[in-house]
Amino acid sequence: MTKVSKVTETGRVSKEPGPAAAPGAVPAVDPRLLVREEGFKGYLGEFGRRMRSGELGPLPVVVGLLLIWTIFQTMDSAFLTPENLSNLSVDVVGTGLIAVGIVFVLLLGEIDLSVGSVSGLAGAVFAVLNIGHGVPEVPAFALAVLCGTAIGALHGFFFARIGVPAFVVTLAGLLFWSGLMLEVLGSNGTINLDDEGFVATLTGYYFTDIAAAYGLAAVAVAAFTAASLLDARRRRAAGVPFRPTSEIALRAGALAVLAFAAAWVLNQYKGLPLALVIFLAVIVALDFLLRRTAYGRKIFALGGSVEAARRAGINVARVRISVFAIAGTMAAVGGLFLASRIASANQGAGAGNLLMNAIAAAVIGGTSLFGGRGRTWSALLGMLVIQSVVSGLALMGIAAGVQYMITGGVLLAAVVIDSVSRKTQKASGRA
């Protein structure tokens, strides 16, 4: 008989008789249980084990972001000023929202090449309805978003029901919706939005009261702490590994330092941007959808193995269609934020490097191109990296060509890290 590790009510490890193991086999012990026994030393050991087994998490992108910020700050002291960081926090929102939708598609192991065109079409639809036909802004906004949802669902239908590869469907969509956007805008090509209207305020409004930024930071820390304690209590009651209060306090403290530092920086300029609040709210809500609901688990299951998911009773076609509908919705919302940033809808919307930046942000942030691994926070981290490069090069007056080369290099590095990580995990038996 072997001894099986089990967590006790105090969080300690006990050994109980279990089924006999095969000769030469290594007993399976949840490493989180050993961490509770060994304290800080255990955390270091667990960290080393995760690195050796390829479970890097967000570490590479965080290290890369800190390196980028350090380099640009040494080259231009204006980079880490409150004004530049505040502008950066708003600039990441439009493309970042599109990248959140890309995360969902990548979790299936698929790709959506149409999101740039859909974002431009959504801005054009809103502008024509509101400016050209006098439809109030809120209904026009809702119709533009629903347009993106319908387009995404249509792509998903051709992919999931007809069997057309997602690459082909969305490539056709890229061309078709770009052409439709030009037709919607008409001969003028550009429609200016109301500078004081609802859409313009999405990226132009700031909460100038310092209590807003600090209050949001306090709410974020309190919510994280409460959720962590509740989760630990639930896991303890179920008799499975849980985080001790000391670890929760450490994590909450680190989040508090980061959140209040960000609030302080934002308050040094114009205050808390409304666009950033909306972006963070969307990320948190969709992260909850992915990690805490049955629907989210179905998405991860499809990314891991479609056949296994089908045999488990998951309606594969329905989930696929819904994921592409989410991607279309986020593309439309992101397009409206991009239109808000320049207060207009024009023929150049959705073109250029928007599509590549959205995909690159999701991948650089840690979402796997092979499916089954990623979080909505990947969009935020990836966009911070890309926009930091853009902002730093702009301050230094360097040509856009260099920006493309650097972004391409960072994207390649992210994919290489992902590939090596997957191979390491397979070699260690954790894939």
Side-chain angles (χ1 to χ4, degrees), residues 1-4 17-28:
M1 298 290 286
T2 61
K3 299 291 185 178
V4 179
V26 178

Side-chain angles (χ1 to χ4, degrees), residues 303-375:
S305 173
V306 175
E307 184 58 30
R310 181 179 288 109
R311 293 186 178 185
I314 296 176
N315 189 324
V316 174
R318 183 179 301 172
V319 174
R320 282 175 164 174
I321 292 173
S322 66
V323 165
F324 276 89
I326 290 173
T329 301
M330 297 311 301
V333 174
L336 290 166
F337 271 80
L338 291 172
S340 169
R341 194 67 170 139
I342 60 175
S344 70
N346 56 59
Q347 295 178 341
N353 60 345
L354 175 62
L355 171 62
M356 292 299 101
N357 280 347
I359 297 175
V363 176
I364 291 172
T367 302
S368 176
L369 281 170
F370 305 98
R373 190 173 71 222
R375 295 183 61 178

Side-chain angles (χ1 to χ4, degrees), residues 35-261:
V35 168
R36 306 299 179 261
E37 287 291 301
E38 301 177 6
F40 184 71
K41 179 182 177 181
Y43 284 114
L44 293 179
E46 172 67 359
F47 178 78
R49 183 200 63 78
R50 291 173 66 89
M51 294 300 102
R52 289 190 299 272
S53 63
E55 299 176 63
L56 303 178
L59 181 62
V61 67
V62 172
V63 172
L65 182 61
L66 293 176
L67 182 61
I68 290 171
W69 282 15
T70 301
I71 292 174
F72 281 124
Q73 178 63 17
T74 56
M75 299 180 72
D76 192 328
S77 59
F79 181 78
L80 291 181
T81 58
E83 179 180 358
N84 191 58
L85 291 178
S86 179
N87 289 333
L88 190 151
S89 71
V90 177
D91 290 337
V92 302
V93 174
T95 309
L97 288 168
I98 299 174
V100 170
I102 290 292
V103 168
F104 276 76
V105 178
L106 290 179
L107 286 174
L108 295 181
E110 302 296 338
I111 194 67
D112 190 341
L113 301 178
S114 69
V115 290
S117 299
V118 174
S119 69
L121 177 62
V125 168
F126 171 82
V128 169
L129 288 175
N130 178 240
I131 304 300
H133 298 283
V135 178
E137 283 195 281
V138 173
F141 185 97
L143 289 173
V145 172
L146 289 176
C147 178
T149 305
I151 290 173
L154 180 63
H155 293 162
F157 173 80
F158 278 103
F159 168 56
R161 296 293 187 185
I162 309 301
V164 183
F167 180 90
V168 176
V169 172
T170 57
L171 178 60
L174 183 154
L175 299 173
F176 186 88
W177 306 121
S178 292
L180 181 58
M181 178 190 69
L182 298 179
E183 291 297 318
V184 169
L185 289 173
S187 57
N188 291 331
T190 300
I191 300 177
N192 294 323
L193 304 180
D194 182 5
D195 291 338
E196 304 295 329
F198 166 72
V199 170
T201 61
L202 292 176
T203 57
Y205 183 81
Y206 292 78
F207 297 97
T208 55
D209 191 336
I210 62 173
Y214 289 127
L216 179 62
V219 168
V221 174
F224 172 82
T225 304
S228 299
L229 290 173
L230 182 62
D231 183 65
R233 180 181 178 182
R234 179 178 57 83
R235 295 176 68 86
R236 181 168 54 245
V240 296
F242 60 91
R243 289 194 176 100
T245 305
S246 58
E247 181 181 348
I248 294 175
L250 180 63
R251 288 170 173 259
L255 177 62
V257 171
L258 180 63
F260 281 95

